[in-house]
Amino acid sequence: MKENSDSEIRDMLKASKLYCTEVRIAILKVLMKTEKPLSQEQIASHLGTKSFDKVTIYRTLESLLKIGLVHKAFIEKRAWHYELAHNCTESQCHPHFTCTSCGNTHCLTEISLPMAESPHKGFIIQRQQVRLEGLCPACA
Ligand SMILES: [Zn+2]
Ligand SMILES: [Zn+2]
């Protein structure tokens, strides 16, 4: 299984014309494994023993963002949370569900909401991000 995700990540990077550096592969692997948005700090702690410094992680995330392999899901506790871009389009990310009881956030990749329409002339909607709140199955 491990080799599978490795080659998948290498293919993703190659398709995006990015070199397969150790840190890029490591970060994408973390995001692929956790399947939920993580802050830079959480990514760093998942990287564990393979400790890359903060600047390296930040720059790597920026380069992955730029080519669209990763996107910013939402801000929580004043930190952006990053995730794999899945099937998200440039204008719309899947909704995120946050449990008001345990605080866990889930990606609702199976839902796609209609894009909001611009309310007035002069407003151009470029991206829609939806956050839902309620109780997760464990807390309901
Ligand atoms: Zn919960
Ligand atoms: Zn998500």
Side-chain angles (χ1 to χ4, degrees):
M1 275 309 267
K2 248 187 177 172
E3 287 71 27
N4 274 343
S5 71
D6 257 39
S7 67
E8 203 179 318
I9 288 167
R10 281 172 192 279
D11 288 345
M12 280 162 66
L13 286 166
K14 265 179 224 159
S16 310
K17 298 192 171 67
L18 275 191
Y19 290 114
C20 297
T21 61
E22 197 192 345
V23 60
R24 282 177 185 154
I25 292 170
I27 288 179
L28 287 171
K29 218 192 262 183
V30 165
L31 292 174
M32 198 178 260
K33 208 168 57 188
T34 54
E35 291 181 322
K36 64 172 199 169
L38 297 174
S39 66
Q40 192 186 321
E41 212 170 292
Q42 289 169 322
I43 291 170
S45 78
H46 276 279
L47 289 171
T49 49
K50 275 190 205 162
S51 51
F52 301 101
D53 64 68
K54 268 187 182 177
V55 179
T56 305
I57 294 172
Y58 177 78
R59 286 204 186 127
T60 305
L61 284 169
E62 285 297 306
S63 70
L64 295 172
L65 277 170
K66 214 166 153 190
I67 53 156
L69 279 184
V70 164
H71 69 202
K72 289 172 170 172
F74 50 78
I75 287 185
E76 200 167 86
K77 292 182 187 134
R78 286 192 284 164
W80 274 108
H81 284 55
Y82 302 86
E83 65 179 352
L84 288 184
H86 301 290
N87 302 318
C88 302
T89 63
E90 213 166 288
S91 61
Q92 186 165 202
C93 174
H94 52 262
H96 288 101
F97 180 96
T98 302
C99 177
T100 52
S101 177
C102 66
N104 284 328
T105 297
H106 303 261
C107 295
L108 302 183
T109 48
E110 53 287 297
I111 298 179
S112 88
L113 295 171
M115 197 69 187
E117 275 174 45
S118 182
H120 302 292
K121 259 191 186 172
F123 287 92
I124 301 162
I125 296 174
Q126 292 180 316
R127 190 149 190 263
Q128 172 168 296
Q129 283 178 295
V130 177
R131 284 198 81 175
L132 304 164
E133 282 185 346
L135 292 173
C136 75
C139 299

